[in-house]
Amino acid sequence: MGLYHSTRSAADSVSSKVAIRTGIAPDGGLYVSDALGSEKLDVNALVGQGYHAIARAVLGLLLPDYTEDEIAACVDEAYTGTFAADEVTPVRMLGNAVSPVPTTAATGVLELFHGPTSAFKDVALQMLPRLMARAQASAGAGERIMIVTATSGDTGKAALAGFADAPGCGITVFYPEGKVSRVQELQMTTQEGSNVAVAAVRGNFDDAQSAVKRIFADRALARRLADAGVVLSSANSINVGRLVPQVVYYFAAYAQLVRAGKIACGDAVEFCVPTGNFGDVLAGYYAKLLGLPVAKLIVAADKNNVLFDFLTTGVYDRNRPFFTTTSPSMDILISSNLERMLYYLSGGDCELIARLMADLAETGRFEVAPELLAKIQEVFACGWADEDQVAAAIERCWETERYVIDPHTACGYHVLGQVAPAEGAAARVLLSTANPYKFPRAVLAALGHETPADDFACMRELERVTSTTAPVQLASLETARARFSDVVDVPAMGAYVEQAALK
Ligand SMILES: *Cc1c(COP(=O)(O)O)cnc(C)c1O
């Protein structure tokens, strides 16, 4: 039964297992399901449930060719003993001082960073390898999967942690040289495991991501790898198996708000999402389509505000300066998952999507019609923060809440204070995407303190001035041994993957 097809053509359909195993459609489009939203989840029933049960319900609906037992086993393996919080993704309520715009809506922070690598990517990347293992078993071909991933900083480590020593899988990670934090770099280069490869790329994230997409589309390479029994796949949020697990925490956050008496079941909630590749906020849109009462989804960008311009004017234009900011995981000018949003909001118009993406590839620019833009704006609001505003947001949150946030979360915190609450929103939830100790230098500076030359000294100083504790998996990097020091040019990435795959 075919369920997923490319955003750029509905001609061929595949099961969710094949979509997950292969990552991206052969024509370069992203896999989407036209069944999304035709069946709703029972929110009333879910609000009484814990994370595991909600995850089983969401995954069961969106990945229908997995058996109930397979889903239950995947959920158990991914979320038992891996997250340092009982709720997996706990909501922390803030005082109403959060908002320079007047609001009576309760405001909470959804902490997504309690997983093994301290970034929200863990929620999906603890799940993806389990889903992939079952998909591989069903394919029954005895093939090896090589995961190829470009990272702006956090996906790389979370994917390495998920796939290290996974049977039948290898993983190659590319990150932009000099454009991730020191802690992020060490997280990747110290990764243990016999099936992992890590390289810095001379270029920025968009260069690396575009090269990875070309590697997936390289037929000759695919043939050579197939001869050796290897297929390529992706752990980026272009993979359905990355996206679907992220839908779960929107429901889990809602359930926590109801149980805490902050909202009544049925009340609408607004979510503010720090955004780069549009994966996380797209998962919120999926949750809305599945019946979650979502008032508005607020897209929060950093100084690379290509999404803000698109959502306000309908013109997407990547021909602009690229800024390296204190929120590296949002330093992205080609936002891949926008393609899925455009697909759904255009009513499934594959021809339009193919044309827009061809425009983007050829000219770096595309434009949508006013009617489509209006539809998009009914669902998504937006804002962005420059570097001074990010630092000010970190400081304001600390001063008013005694709560330390990282620079990505701070973009959202700033935007939440700029965008008036949507009409009828009973609560506002800010998604917190990383632990502040991943970015100790930027956070310490924002709090107005001197920053020592060494990032681990910054970490200790941040502990001292805020009386909080760095996660042990970050503090212990100081003495960990780096295993990888490869640096490659963009054109050499394909050969690097081939070498790793044939090893
Ligand atoms: C990846 C990431 C983001 C952006 O998420 P997208 O799904 O790419 O929009 C934001 N913050 C942090 C810390 C991240 O790692």
Side-chain angles (χ1 to χ4, degrees), residues 361-391:
E362 281 156 30
T363 68
R365 182 184 186 283
F366 66 79
E367 183 168 358
V368 300
E371 303 76 49
L372 177 52
L373 179 62
K375 274 193 191 168
I376 293 170
Q377 288 172 336
E378 275 172 34
V379 180
F380 297 95
C382 61
W384 67 283
D386 68 22
E387 288 290 88
D388 289 341
Q389 290 166 330
V390 167

PDB file of all heavy atoms in Angstrom, residues 361-391:
ATOM      1  N   ALA A 361      16.616  26.454  -6.953  1.00  0.00           N
ATOM      2  CA  ALA A 361      17.898  25.861  -7.342  1.00  0.00           C
ATOM      3  C   ALA A 361      18.605  26.722  -8.387  1.00  0.00           C
ATOM      4  O   ALA A 361      19.825  26.875  -8.366  1.00  0.00           O
ATOM      5  CB  ALA A 361      17.680  24.439  -7.866  1.00  0.00           C
ATOM      6  N   GLU A 362      17.810  27.289  -9.322  1.00  0.00           N
ATOM      7  CA  GLU A 362      18.428  28.026 -10.434  1.00  0.00           C
ATOM      8  C   GLU A 362      18.767  29.471 -10.072  1.00  0.00           C
ATOM      9  O   GLU A 362      19.815  29.981 -10.453  1.00  0.00           O
ATOM     10  CB  GLU A 362      17.496  28.011 -11.653  1.00  0.00           C
ATOM     11  CG  GLU A 362      17.559  26.687 -12.415  1.00  0.00           C
ATOM     12  CD  GLU A 362      16.295  26.437 -13.218  1.00  0.00           C
ATOM     13  OE1 GLU A 362      15.660  27.418 -13.664  1.00  0.00           O
ATOM     14  OE2 GLU A 362      15.940  25.253 -13.393  1.00  0.00           O
ATOM     15  N   THR A 363      17.872  30.137  -9.361  1.00  0.00           N
ATOM     16  CA  THR A 363      18.063  31.571  -9.113  1.00  0.00           C
ATOM     17  C   THR A 363      18.237  31.919  -7.636  1.00  0.00           C
ATOM     18  O   THR A 363      18.509  33.062  -7.296  1.00  0.00           O
ATOM     19  CB  THR A 363      16.850  32.377  -9.632  1.00  0.00           C
ATOM     20  OG1 THR A 363      15.719  32.047  -8.819  1.00  0.00           O
ATOM     21  CG2 THR A 363      16.554  32.043 -11.076  1.00  0.00           C
ATOM     22  N   GLY A 364      18.019  30.915  -6.744  1.00  0.00           N
ATOM     23  CA  GLY A 364      18.117  31.196  -5.318  1.00  0.00           C
ATOM     24  C   GLY A 364      16.897  31.923  -4.774  1.00  0.00           C
ATOM     25  O   GLY A 364      16.907  32.436  -3.653  1.00  0.00           O
ATOM     26  N   ARG A 365      15.831  31.943  -5.576  1.00  0.00           N
ATOM     27  CA  ARG A 365      14.685  32.761  -5.206  1.00  0.00           C
ATOM     28  C   ARG A 365      13.398  32.115  -5.709  1.00  0.00           C
ATOM     29  O   ARG A 365      13.382  31.489  -6.761  1.00  0.00           O
ATOM     30  CB  ARG A 365      14.857  34.128  -5.880  1.00  0.00           C
ATOM     31  CG  ARG A 365      13.812  35.159  -5.614  1.00  0.00           C
ATOM     32  CD  ARG A 365      14.112  36.406  -6.448  1.00  0.00           C
ATOM     33  NE  ARG A 365      13.200  37.493  -6.124  1.00  0.00           N
ATOM     34  CZ  ARG A 365      11.948  37.573  -6.541  1.00  0.00           C
ATOM     35  NH1 ARG A 365      11.447  36.632  -7.328  1.00  0.00           N
ATOM     36  NH2 ARG A 365      11.195  38.597  -6.187  1.00  0.00           N
ATOM     37  N   PHE A 366      12.308  32.256  -4.957  1.00  0.00           N
ATOM     38  CA  PHE A 366      10.984  31.950  -5.509  1.00  0.00           C
ATOM     39  C   PHE A 366       9.954  32.838  -4.834  1.00  0.00           C
ATOM     40  O   PHE A 366      10.229  33.480  -3.815  1.00  0.00           O
ATOM     41  CB  PHE A 366      10.612  30.461  -5.374  1.00  0.00           C
ATOM     42  CG  PHE A 366      10.431  29.961  -3.968  1.00  0.00           C
ATOM     43  CD1 PHE A 366       9.260  30.195  -3.263  1.00  0.00           C
ATOM     44  CD2 PHE A 366      11.432  29.216  -3.351  1.00  0.00           C
ATOM     45  CE1 PHE A 366       9.087  29.721  -1.971  1.00  0.00           C
ATOM     46  CE2 PHE A 366      11.278  28.740  -2.049  1.00  0.00           C
ATOM     47  CZ  PHE A 366      10.101  28.983  -1.361  1.00  0.00           C
ATOM     48  N   GLU A 367       8.765  32.874  -5.432  1.00  0.00           N
ATOM     49  CA  GLU A 367       7.725  33.747  -4.912  1.00  0.00           C
ATOM     50  C   GLU A 367       6.401  33.002  -4.975  1.00  0.00           C
ATOM     51  O   GLU A 367       6.125  32.308  -5.944  1.00  0.00           O
ATOM     52  CB  GLU A 367       7.670  35.020  -5.786  1.00  0.00           C
ATOM     53  CG  GLU A 367       6.669  36.026  -5.304  1.00  0.00           C
ATOM     54  CD  GLU A 367       6.843  37.392  -6.005  1.00  0.00           C
ATOM     55  OE1 GLU A 367       7.776  37.527  -6.830  1.00  0.00           O
ATOM     56  OE2 GLU A 367       6.042  38.281  -5.718  1.00  0.00           O
ATOM     57  N   VAL A 368       5.572  33.138  -3.936  1.00  0.00           N
ATOM     58  CA  VAL A 368       4.258  32.495  -3.970  1.00  0.00           C
ATOM     59  C   VAL A 368       3.179  33.553  -4.181  1.00  0.00           C
ATOM     60  O   VAL A 368       3.369  34.722  -3.862  1.00  0.00           O
ATOM     61  CB  VAL A 368       3.964  31.684  -2.677  1.00  0.00           C
ATOM     62  CG1 VAL A 368       4.989  30.585  -2.482  1.00  0.00           C
ATOM     63  CG2 VAL A 368       3.894  32.589  -1.453  1.00  0.00           C
ATOM     64  N   ALA A 369       2.056  33.113  -4.700  1.00  0.00           N
ATOM     65  CA  ALA A 369       0.935  34.015  -4.994  1.00  0.00           C
ATOM     66  C   ALA A 369       0.333  34.538  -3.688  1.00  0.00           C
ATOM     67  O   ALA A 369       0.397  33.869  -2.657  1.00  0.00           O
ATOM     68  CB  ALA A 369      -0.118  33.268  -5.808  1.00  0.00           C
ATOM     69  N   PRO A 370      -0.280  35.729  -3.735  1.00  0.00           N
ATOM     70  CA  PRO A 370      -0.864  36.332  -2.524  1.00  0.00           C
ATOM     71  C   PRO A 370      -1.875  35.419  -1.819  1.00  0.00           C
ATOM     72  O   PRO A 370      -1.942  35.411  -0.592  1.00  0.00           O
ATOM     73  CB  PRO A 370      -1.552  37.592  -3.051  1.00  0.00           C
ATOM     74  CG  PRO A 370      -0.863  37.919  -4.326  1.00  0.00           C
ATOM     75  CD  PRO A 370      -0.366  36.633  -4.909  1.00  0.00           C
ATOM     76  N   GLU A 371      -2.654  34.649  -2.603  1.00  0.00           N
ATOM     77  CA  GLU A 371      -3.662  33.775  -1.967  1.00  0.00           C
ATOM     78  C   GLU A 371      -2.981  32.702  -1.109  1.00  0.00           C
ATOM     79  O   GLU A 371      -3.440  32.377  -0.018  1.00  0.00           O
ATOM     80  CB  GLU A 371      -4.537  33.073  -3.017  1.00  0.00           C
ATOM     81  CG  GLU A 371      -5.277  33.996  -3.975  1.00  0.00           C
ATOM     82  CD  GLU A 371      -4.373  34.580  -5.053  1.00  0.00           C
ATOM     83  OE1 GLU A 371      -3.621  33.812  -5.685  1.00  0.00           O
ATOM     84  OE2 GLU A 371      -4.388  35.819  -5.252  1.00  0.00           O
ATOM     85  N   LEU A 372      -1.883  32.150  -1.641  1.00  0.00           N
ATOM     86  CA  LEU A 372      -1.172  31.126  -0.880  1.00  0.00           C
ATOM     87  C   LEU A 372      -0.510  31.759   0.349  1.00  0.00           C
ATOM     88  O   LEU A 372      -0.561  31.205   1.458  1.00  0.00           O
ATOM     89  CB  LEU A 372      -0.127  30.419  -1.766  1.00  0.00           C
ATOM     90  CG  LEU A 372       0.747  29.367  -1.091  1.00  0.00           C
ATOM     91  CD1 LEU A 372      -0.086  28.336  -0.330  1.00  0.00           C
ATOM     92  CD2 LEU A 372       1.632  28.650  -2.122  1.00  0.00           C
ATOM     93  N   LEU A 373       0.072  32.931   0.178  1.00  0.00           N
ATOM     94  CA  LEU A 373       0.698  33.610   1.314  1.00  0.00           C
ATOM     95  C   LEU A 373      -0.329  33.864   2.419  1.00  0.00           C
ATOM     96  O   LEU A 373      -0.047  33.658   3.609  1.00  0.00           O
ATOM     97  CB  LEU A 373       1.329  34.937   0.867  1.00  0.00           C
ATOM     98  CG  LEU A 373       1.992  35.751   1.997  1.00  0.00           C
ATOM     99  CD1 LEU A 373       3.147  34.976   2.626  1.00  0.00           C
ATOM    100  CD2 LEU A 373       2.472  37.109   1.488  1.00  0.00           C
ATOM    101  N   ALA A 374      -1.527  34.264   2.031  1.00  0.00           N
ATOM    102  CA  ALA A 374      -2.565  34.531   3.033  1.00  0.00           C
ATOM    103  C   ALA A 374      -2.900  33.272   3.818  1.00  0.00           C
ATOM    104  O   ALA A 374      -3.080  33.307   5.040  1.00  0.00           O
ATOM    105  CB  ALA A 374      -3.814  35.092   2.346  1.00  0.00           C
ATOM    106  N   LYS A 375      -2.961  32.150   3.122  1.00  0.00           N
ATOM    107  CA  LYS A 375      -3.238  30.879   3.811  1.00  0.00           C
ATOM    108  C   LYS A 375      -2.128  30.537   4.796  1.00  0.00           C
ATOM    109  O   LYS A 375      -2.363  30.061   5.900  1.00  0.00           O
ATOM    110  CB  LYS A 375      -3.322  29.737   2.776  1.00  0.00           C
ATOM    111  CG  LYS A 375      -4.671  29.575   2.160  1.00  0.00           C
ATOM    112  CD  LYS A 375      -4.708  28.241   1.434  1.00  0.00           C
ATOM    113  CE  LYS A 375      -5.950  28.143   0.581  1.00  0.00           C
ATOM    114  NZ  LYS A 375      -5.875  27.015  -0.338  1.00  0.00           N
ATOM    115  N   ILE A 376      -0.888  30.764   4.353  1.00  0.00           N
ATOM    116  CA  ILE A 376       0.264  30.476   5.211  1.00  0.00           C
ATOM    117  C   ILE A 376       0.216  31.351   6.465  1.00  0.00           C
ATOM    118  O   ILE A 376       0.448  30.899   7.582  1.00  0.00           O
ATOM    119  CB  ILE A 376       1.575  30.712   4.421  1.00  0.00           C
ATOM    120  CG1 ILE A 376       1.710  29.684   3.300  1.00  0.00           C
ATOM    121  CG2 ILE A 376       2.790  30.646   5.359  1.00  0.00           C
ATOM    122  CD1 ILE A 376       2.845  29.985   2.318  1.00  0.00           C
ATOM    123  N   GLN A 377      -0.151  32.618   6.257  1.00  0.00           N
ATOM    124  CA  GLN A 377      -0.164  33.558   7.386  1.00  0.00           C
ATOM    125  C   GLN A 377      -1.300  33.284   8.374  1.00  0.00           C
ATOM    126  O   GLN A 377      -1.253  33.734   9.511  1.00  0.00           O
ATOM    127  CB  GLN A 377      -0.253  34.997   6.862  1.00  0.00           C
ATOM    128  CG  GLN A 377       1.057  35.447   6.211  1.00  0.00           C
ATOM    129  CD  GLN A 377       0.956  36.786   5.511  1.00  0.00           C
ATOM    130  OE1 GLN A 377      -0.142  37.193   5.121  1.00  0.00           O
ATOM    131  NE2 GLN A 377       2.083  37.456   5.339  1.00  0.00           N
ATOM    132  N   GLU A 378      -2.316  32.548   7.934  1.00  0.00           N
ATOM    133  CA  GLU A 378      -3.358  32.137   8.885  1.00  0.00           C
ATOM    134  C   GLU A 378      -2.803  31.159   9.910  1.00  0.00           C
ATOM    135  O   GLU A 378      -3.296  31.063  11.026  1.00  0.00           O
ATOM    136  CB  GLU A 378      -4.518  31.457   8.144  1.00  0.00           C
ATOM    137  CG  GLU A 378      -5.531  32.424   7.592  1.00  0.00           C
ATOM    138  CD  GLU A 378      -6.529  31.711   6.702  1.00  0.00           C
ATOM    139  OE1 GLU A 378      -6.866  30.540   6.985  1.00  0.00           O
ATOM    140  OE2 GLU A 378      -6.945  32.323   5.698  1.00  0.00           O
ATOM    141  N   VAL A 379      -1.782  30.418   9.515  1.00  0.00           N
ATOM    142  CA  VAL A 379      -1.231  29.380  10.396  1.00  0.00           C
ATOM    143  C   VAL A 379       0.016  29.865  11.128  1.00  0.00           C
ATOM    144  O   VAL A 379       0.197  29.597  12.310  1.00  0.00           O
ATOM    145  CB  VAL A 379      -0.875  28.118   9.569  1.00  0.00           C
ATOM    146  CG1 VAL A 379      -0.307  27.018  10.476  1.00  0.00           C
ATOM    147  CG2 VAL A 379      -2.089  27.614   8.801  1.00  0.00           C
ATOM    148  N   PHE A 380       0.882  30.597  10.408  1.00  0.00           N
ATOM    149  CA  PHE A 380       2.196  30.951  10.947  1.00  0.00           C
ATOM    150  C   PHE A 380       2.340  32.457  11.159  1.00  0.00           C
ATOM    151  O   PHE A 380       2.078  33.249  10.253  1.00  0.00           O
ATOM    152  CB  PHE A 380       3.305  30.496   9.981  1.00  0.00           C
ATOM    153  CG  PHE A 380       3.367  29.010   9.790  1.00  0.00           C
ATOM    154  CD1 PHE A 380       2.715  28.402   8.727  1.00  0.00           C
ATOM    155  CD2 PHE A 380       4.080  28.204  10.682  1.00  0.00           C
ATOM    156  CE1 PHE A 380       2.756  27.026   8.539  1.00  0.00           C
ATOM    157  CE2 PHE A 380       4.130  26.833  10.506  1.00  0.00           C
ATOM    158  CZ  PHE A 380       3.466  26.242   9.427  1.00  0.00           C
ATOM    159  N   ALA A 381       2.774  32.837  12.349  1.00  0.00           N
ATOM    160  CA  ALA A 381       3.253  34.194  12.608  1.00  0.00           C
ATOM    161  C   ALA A 381       4.779  34.126  12.642  1.00  0.00           C
ATOM    162  O   ALA A 381       5.345  33.034  12.580  1.00  0.00           O
ATOM    163  CB  ALA A 381       2.708  34.704  13.933  1.00  0.00           C
ATOM    164  N   CYS A 382       5.446  35.281  12.718  1.00  0.00           N
ATOM    165  CA  CYS A 382       6.901  35.203  12.723  1.00  0.00           C
ATOM    166  C   CYS A 382       7.561  36.441  13.320  1.00  0.00           C
ATOM    167  O   CYS A 382       6.928  37.495  13.473  1.00  0.00           O
ATOM    168  CB  CYS A 382       7.423  34.985  11.313  1.00  0.00           C
ATOM    169  SG  CYS A 382       6.980  36.311  10.192  1.00  0.00           S
ATOM    170  N   GLY A 383       8.825  36.258  13.661  1.00  0.00           N
ATOM    171  CA  GLY A 383       9.649  37.344  14.164  1.00  0.00           C
ATOM    172  C   GLY A 383      11.101  36.900  14.117  1.00  0.00           C
ATOM    173  O   GLY A 383      11.382  35.739  13.796  1.00  0.00           O
ATOM    174  N   TRP A 384      12.010  37.819  14.394  1.00  0.00           N
ATOM    175  CA  TRP A 384      13.419  37.429  14.420  1.00  0.00           C
ATOM    176  C   TRP A 384      14.180  38.305  15.399  1.00  0.00           C
ATOM    177  O   TRP A 384      13.700  39.368  15.804  1.00  0.00           O
ATOM    178  CB  TRP A 384      14.046  37.504  13.031  1.00  0.00           C
ATOM    179  CG  TRP A 384      14.174  38.887  12.452  1.00  0.00           C
ATOM    180  CD1 TRP A 384      13.169  39.626  11.898  1.00  0.00           C
ATOM    181  CD2 TRP A 384      15.366  39.678  12.371  1.00  0.00           C
ATOM    182  NE1 TRP A 384      13.657  40.829  11.478  1.00  0.00           N
ATOM    183  CE2 TRP A 384      15.002  40.899  11.760  1.00  0.00           C
ATOM    184  CE3 TRP A 384      16.691  39.474  12.747  1.00  0.00           C
ATOM    185  CZ2 TRP A 384      15.923  41.912  11.511  1.00  0.00           C
ATOM    186  CZ3 TRP A 384      17.615  40.485  12.505  1.00  0.00           C
ATOM    187  CH2 TRP A 384      17.230  41.690  11.887  1.00  0.00           C
ATOM    188  N   ALA A 385      15.367  37.843  15.778  1.00  0.00           N
ATOM    189  CA  ALA A 385      16.185  38.559  16.748  1.00  0.00           C
ATOM    190  C   ALA A 385      17.590  38.741  16.199  1.00  0.00           C
ATOM    191  O   ALA A 385      18.174  37.793  15.669  1.00  0.00           O
ATOM    192  CB  ALA A 385      16.248  37.766  18.058  1.00  0.00           C
ATOM    193  N   ASP A 386      18.134  39.978  16.327  1.00  0.00           N
ATOM    194  CA  ASP A 386      19.548  40.159  15.972  1.00  0.00           C
ATOM    195  C   ASP A 386      20.407  39.770  17.179  1.00  0.00           C
ATOM    196  O   ASP A 386      19.889  39.402  18.233  1.00  0.00           O
ATOM    197  CB  ASP A 386      19.808  41.578  15.467  1.00  0.00           C
ATOM    198  CG  ASP A 386      19.662  42.644  16.551  1.00  0.00           C
ATOM    199  OD1 ASP A 386      19.774  42.316  17.755  1.00  0.00           O
ATOM    200  OD2 ASP A 386      19.428  43.815  16.194  1.00  0.00           O
ATOM    201  N   GLU A 387      21.725  39.862  17.026  1.00  0.00           N
ATOM    202  CA  GLU A 387      22.608  39.349  18.071  1.00  0.00           C
ATOM    203  C   GLU A 387      22.457  40.110  19.397  1.00  0.00           C
ATOM    204  O   GLU A 387      22.514  39.503  20.465  1.00  0.00           O
ATOM    205  CB  GLU A 387      24.059  39.394  17.575  1.00  0.00           C
ATOM    206  CG  GLU A 387      24.358  38.339  16.516  1.00  0.00           C
ATOM    207  CD  GLU A 387      24.369  36.928  17.093  1.00  0.00           C
ATOM    208  OE1 GLU A 387      23.286  36.300  17.134  1.00  0.00           O
ATOM    209  OE2 GLU A 387      25.448  36.464  17.509  1.00  0.00           O
ATOM    210  N   ASP A 388      22.273  41.418  19.323  1.00  0.00           N
ATOM    211  CA  ASP A 388      22.086  42.188  20.559  1.00  0.00           C
ATOM    212  C   ASP A 388      20.787  41.782  21.252  1.00  0.00           C
ATOM    213  O   ASP A 388      20.710  41.707  22.474  1.00  0.00           O
ATOM    214  CB  ASP A 388      22.047  43.699  20.249  1.00  0.00           C
ATOM    215  CG  ASP A 388      23.415  44.228  19.838  1.00  0.00           C
ATOM    216  OD1 ASP A 388      24.429  43.549  20.126  1.00  0.00           O
ATOM    217  OD2 ASP A 388      23.466  45.313  19.223  1.00  0.00           O
ATOM    218  N   GLN A 389      19.760  41.544  20.449  1.00  0.00           N
ATOM    219  CA  GLN A 389      18.468  41.158  21.027  1.00  0.00           C
ATOM    220  C   GLN A 389      18.524  39.765  21.657  1.00  0.00           C
ATOM    221  O   GLN A 389      17.891  39.513  22.687  1.00  0.00           O
ATOM    222  CB  GLN A 389      17.378  41.225  19.943  1.00  0.00           C
ATOM    223  CG  GLN A 389      17.075  42.676  19.539  1.00  0.00           C
ATOM    224  CD  GLN A 389      16.273  42.776  18.259  1.00  0.00           C
ATOM    225  OE1 GLN A 389      16.368  41.936  17.364  1.00  0.00           O
ATOM    226  NE2 GLN A 389      15.467  43.832  18.159  1.00  0.00           N
ATOM    227  N   VAL A 390      19.314  38.873  21.048  1.00  0.00           N
ATOM    228  CA  VAL A 390      19.489  37.533  21.621  1.00  0.00           C
ATOM    229  C   VAL A 390      20.149  37.647  22.992  1.00  0.00           C
ATOM    230  O   VAL A 390      19.693  37.058  23.986  1.00  0.00           O
ATOM    231  CB  VAL A 390      20.325  36.638  20.685  1.00  0.00           C
ATOM    232  CG1 VAL A 390      20.780  35.371  21.410  1.00  0.00           C
ATOM    233  CG2 VAL A 390      19.520  36.273  19.446  1.00  0.00           C
ATOM    234  N   ALA A 391      21.229  38.433  23.058  1.00  0.00           N
ATOM    235  CA  ALA A 391      21.939  38.596  24.331  1.00  0.00           C
ATOM    236  C   ALA A 391      21.033  39.245  25.373  1.00  0.00           C
ATOM    237  O   ALA A 391      20.977  38.819  26.535  1.00  0.00           O
ATOM    238  CB  ALA A 391      23.202  39.430  24.116  1.00  0.00           C
TER     239      ALA A 391
END
